[in-house]
Amino acid sequence: MPCSSHTRNPFTAAETPAVGVNVEHLTKSFGSHLVLQDVSFAVEPGEIFVLMGPSGSGKSVLLRHVVGLEAPSSGRVLVNGKDALAAQTREHERIGMVFQSGALFNSLTVYDNLALYPREHHTATEPGIREKVMHALQILSLEDTAQKFPSELSGGMKKRVAIARALVMEPQLLLYDEPTSELDPVMSATISEIIASLKDEYHVTTIVVSHDRELALNIADRVGILMDSRIIFLGTPAELREPKDPQVAGFLYPKIDLKHPRFKKLET
Amino acid sequence: MKQLTSILEGFGSTLQLFLRALSYAGTLPRQRARFIEQCYLIGYTTLPIVAILSFFIGAVLALQAGYSMQNFGAMQFIGSLVGLSMARELGPVMVAILLAGRVGSAITAELASMKVNQEVDALETMNIPPARMLVLPRLAAALVMVPVLAIIADLVGWFGGAIVAKYTSFISIEPEAYFSVLRRYMKFQDVMNGLIKAEIFGLGVVLVCCNIGLNTRGGPREIGASVTRAVVVSLILILVLDYFVTKVLI
């Protein structure tokens, strides 16, 4: 869903260069439950990095560290060289996050959801905000939803509104938590196309947490796989197509074996 | 020991939330619309139930006082008894209890639902502090509206007492006599003390309900549990504060 060419782009991508992310020896545990253990990787400015892994492997927890919503047990996360947990980092670096549920403000219309950030931070006048909001809605083909409330939208629309809301922030770093979960294959492909086109148009650094193999193989610059609290694979989609590690191959290309089902093995 | 730790933690986080909200006080003029909306919710929508309850509390107070005093020939003092009781104690406490049940529960339910649906997390990622956008307008609205509700509760309660005093056969005191005694034995300080108490209770209730809402984790069941906890903690807080504030003000 590319941006329409006849509309002036009100976003100032040139003034907001993409930022890099460094995850350094990150360990996180909740009580006695270890979620992340000595996880380290770097995301280059302007890159699409897809983090994959089984359910409950700590992908979303890692993403929450990047945006400063969780404090590490040890290690650190740097955004543009600054500690992600520091309040100043969020003031200086614009980090947009698309939550798995969308996390839209249910009491506000779609328009007001998008206008909230520029209104609160006085980044534009009301006509300027209107222009930015309508442009973001147009990019994602959501012009007709401006006056609707989130409860009136479908799952796919909510995800797109959440992306549009993040886009209005003119982010330097855009994080997606399971953007294609609970969507049909066509809508999943659409969301993948949106993520890739936003990166191309706005040169925003993108981290996507997902189970979606097709998304990772088609839009990622690099892919990481998180399993058993550690990163077990870090490489390009080309390397991922023919994985050498049997654990990675087993996760990405599982065979459905009706004669020897996995859940029976788990029980024993 | 665990419960004591939990109580101290709750007290600490509520105090922290208060100080954080206070640090954004300068942003209040920009949040006019939210402030007015909260004034409407805390003040206007609570007004009918405050009026009904205070009328009947004043009425029953006059009735009980009349019944008890008829043997001592002290019926003429009913006006001062109702007046002082409403202004110093029952008005502020009743307004605070209604605030906890009606407004506090709604605040906790709304904020807990926002927390569970990750709307609060979304605010934080946008660098919009929840203490500024969600707590400050509610605190400011409580600061303005609770004393107004307390004054209305006092006035309606006094009138409730006056009507009962006139139309109850074994009391039969004319409103002029009732209000004359009320005026004679009541000082401006009595009303002010009541308003100070109402203000303290109101801020306490709103803070507790905001804090419990914003610290909710889980799903719909936890939202329900948070609402119950917020109301229970608020009621305990009102009565505990009532003792200590009264002791200071007397």
Side-chain angles (χ1 to χ4, degrees), chain A residues 58 66 99 129 136 144 193 195 212 232 240 256 263 266:
Chain A
V66 176
F99 288 85
I129 291 171
D144 298 339
E193 288 163 4
I195 294 170
D212 192 333
I232 59 160
L240 202 63
I256 297 173
F263 71 95
L266 284 175

Side-chain angles (χ1 to χ4, degrees), chain B residues 177-192:
Chain B
Y178 173 94
F179 281 111
S180 157
V181 174
L182 188 148
R183 275 198 302 272
R184 197 187 316 151
Y185 288 99
M186 267 193 69
K187 295 189 282 280
F188 180 68
Q189 196 58 39
D190 293 322
V191 178
M192 279 310 290

Side-chain angles (χ1 to χ4, degrees), chain A residues 64 67 69 90-91 95 97 99-101 103-106 116-117 120-122 165 169, chain B residues 30-31 34 110 113-114 117-128 132-133 217:
Chain A
R64 289 173 66 84
V67 80
L69 289 174
R90 253 181 275 168
E91 282 166 21
I95 307 172
M97 178 146 172
F99 288 85
Q100 185 171 359
S101 62
L104 301 176
F105 304 113
N106 287 315
L116 185 66
Y117 179 86
E120 286 292 319
H121 292 281
H122 307 282
R165 187 176 69 179
M169 291 172 67
Chain B
R30 285 198 276 117
Q31 302 198 67
R34 284 184 202 123
E110 185 181 347
S113 163
M114 288 182 75
N117 294 331
Q118 294 184 303
E119 292 174 41
V120 174
D121 286 345
L123 281 179
E124 285 182 11
T125 62
M126 292 177 174
N127 198 25
I128 302 170
R132 185 179 85 196
M133 186 178 145
R217 282 173 190 271

Side-chain angles (χ1 to χ4, degrees), chain A residues 99-254:
Chain A
F99 288 85
Q100 185 171 359
S101 62
L104 301 176
F105 304 113
N106 287 315
S107 56
L108 302 180
T109 62
V110 167
Y111 182 91
D112 288 333
N113 260 279
L114 268 65
L116 185 66
Y117 179 86
R119 276 178 185 157
E120 286 292 319
H121 292 281
H122 307 282
T123 58
T125 57
E126 202 56 39
I129 291 171
R130 182 164 187 80
E131 193 182 2
K132 279 176 197 284
V133 169
M134 293 317 290
H135 182 73
L137 290 174
Q138 196 178 25
I139 290 171
L140 293 147
S141 302
L142 288 164
E143 301 96 314
D144 298 339
T145 65
Q147 295 312 317
K148 288 187 175 172
F149 283 92
S151 58
E152 299 171 84
L153 305 176
S154 68
M157 278 175 156
K158 278 182 189 167
K159 300 248 179 191
R160 282 190 285 149
V161 171
I163 295 172
R165 187 176 69 179
L167 199 59
V168 171
M169 291 172 67
E170 299 174 24
Q172 298 158 282
L173 172 63
L174 196 42
L175 311 174
Y176 297 86
D177 190 5
E178 304 277 10
T180 58
S181 65
E182 301 161 29
L183 298 180
D184 64 66
V186 176
M187 187 48 73
S188 295
T190 308
I191 296 285
S192 302
E193 288 163 4
I194 289 168
I195 294 170
S197 65
L198 290 181
K199 179 249 179 178
D200 289 341
E201 284 187 40
Y202 301 106
H203 194 63
V204 59
T205 308
T206 306
I207 301 179
V208 186
V209 155
S210 180
H211 291 119
D212 192 333
R213 189 178 59 199
E214 290 308 309
L215 177 146
L217 292 175
N218 286 294
I219 69 164
D221 294 311
R222 282 190 312 131
V223 181
I225 295 182
L226 188 67
M227 206 180 277
D228 299 328
S229 316
R230 293 169 181 275
I231 293 279
I232 59 160
F233 173 88
L234 210 52
T236 62
E239 290 167 325
L240 202 63
R241 282 180 203 279
E242 290 166 7
K244 294 182 178 75
D245 185 338
Q247 212 180 356
V248 174
F251 169 67
L252 278 178
Y253 304 100

Side-chain angles (χ1 to χ4, degrees), chain B residues 5-21:
Chain B
T5 315
S6 160
I7 291 169
L8 289 175
E9 267 176 11
F11 181 75
S13 65
T14 307
L15 192 65
Q16 260 186 339
L17 184 66
F18 178 59
L19 295 175
R20 239 179 294 145

